[in-house]
Amino acid sequence: MPDTSRKRIAVLCGLGDGGMEIALLRLLRDLDYSQVSVTLLTAERQGPLLNMLPDQVMVRHCYFTSAFAYAIGLNDFSDCGMIRRNLYRLGRKLLTIASNDKRNLVYDYASSHVDDLPKEHFDAALDFRGYGSLTTTLGVQLDADFHATWMHDERMEWLPLAMPYLHGYDKIFCVSESVKRRFIELAPAYADKAEVLYNVLDADDIRRKASQPVPDDFAKRPNRLVTLGRLLPQKGIDIALKAAALLHRRGLDFTWLVFGEGDQRAELEAMIHAYGLEHHFILKGHVDNPYPYVGAADVYVQPSRYEGYSLALQEARILTKPIVASDIPSSREQITDGHDGILVHPDETALAEGIIRLLDDEPLRDALSSNLQGERFDYEDQVRRLLTLIDDAKGSTRP
């Protein structure tokens, strides 16, 4: 017989190692598995997250009865030959054109070819991935007392993909106030379901990891800059690279490390070569523990074009680093300009000026760091809120 004493939670997500997956990992690690059982349902076949999950989490991979359904549902054509890839992309485009805010024919078709969607009852089905992905479609099909989906960024060009399914969710969790405001602006019919739920952070673990030795000579170099972010347009690494070119032209000796991977790597590497920055702007890729580098940096730089609520920015704040960040709505929730960081317009000139301002002003750097010393980074109450909502929903369905 199944154990009914624990909350049964189904979580839907991808298997990458970006900020969203790391946020989920921290949530899962914060759960008491004597009180909950968790099934991670994923449409992906493999990914780095698999090796990082708590042992208590059971992973179930969706099985698709159609290669076409898998390809269009995940927008992943990597296993297809050129002819099939083009045909599948055309099919996806035609289905997209025929879709509207009531029906998403791409996801309806893909989900109808998932052969092994769990049939058992859950206390909660949590579409943590969000982003208008196939998991949002699958989440509403699970039998659960409580359904919730997540909104992770303030841009939301993908929201039309999710709109046909939002009616099936009890809560739409937004990771910041700015994300909530943007969501309500775009989907006012669901304003009553929107609620801010901040991502979980383990501040003590971040500090512990940062205390480990830096593996190379980075700590000995002058004017050390660090950025954590995937190599995607959203994160503005290209803006940072252009700012680095400006710093280089001014004769500044610096080392700028970027931790993260993404589709822009080849483009960025070409830019680095064109600017002659091979020894100054370094793409470090994925590193299991980048925090010693953050701890050793003179300035942490966050050049994002948009965010939901930047985990990397939170981590830099936890490590009390002097920060230069893009002046975007979610950054304003974390930083008061001139008090615990510097906010600048998200372009290369403003970013370079902000960096120079901090590098030239040690008392200002010390003041910004000092003002972060007393900040509270305990998000355990967010986990309690989530579990309370699940309990309340479970209670309301009892006969």
Side-chain angles (χ1 to χ4, degrees), residues 341-363:
I342 300 295
L343 296 177
V344 300
H345 191 270
D347 66 60
E348 60 267 25
T349 302
L351 193 65
E353 292 294 342
I355 292 169
I356 290 171
R357 179 184 172 191
L358 282 189
L359 290 177
D360 286 347
D361 193 339
E362 185 175 358

Side-chain angles (χ1 to χ4, degrees), residues 219-346:
K220 300 176 182 178
R221 299 180 190 179
N223 300 316
R224 300 175 298 274
L225 310 175
V226 168
T227 296
L228 307 183
R230 288 166 293 159
L231 308 183
L232 300 174
Q234 172 193 348
K235 300 299 182 179
I237 307 302
D238 56 317
I239 298 174
L241 183 46
K242 292 173 183 176
L246 293 177
L247 298 177
H248 187 51
R249 281 189 217 124
R250 296 189 187 191
L252 184 70
D253 185 12
F254 66 93
T255 301
W256 193 335
L257 304 183
V258 177
F259 295 88
E261 274 299 347
D263 295 340
Q264 274 193 308
R265 173 173 277 277
E267 174 189 343
L268 294 169
E269 286 176 340
M271 291 174 64
I272 290 169
H273 180 71
Y275 289 135
L277 292 173
E278 290 89 346
H279 300 295
H280 296 280
F281 195 93
I282 302 168
L283 305 179
K284 296 286 283 186
H286 172 77
V287 174
D288 288 338
N289 181 16
Y291 302 117
Y293 292 96
V294 178
D298 294 305
V299 176
Y300 179 82
V301 186
Q302 192 69 42
S304 304
R305 288 183 168 91
Y306 61 95
E307 290 280 357
Y309 196 80
S310 171
L311 291 177
L313 201 55
Q314 287 178 279
E315 290 162 348
R317 292 168 59 222
I318 287 169
L319 298 177
T320 67
K321 302 311 298 181
I323 293 168
V324 176
S326 299
D327 188 5
I328 55 177
S330 61
S331 293
R332 292 179 215 130
E333 288 189 45
Q334 298 200 53
I335 291 176
T336 301
D337 186 31
H339 175 72
D340 49 11
I342 300 295
L343 296 177
V344 300
H345 191 270

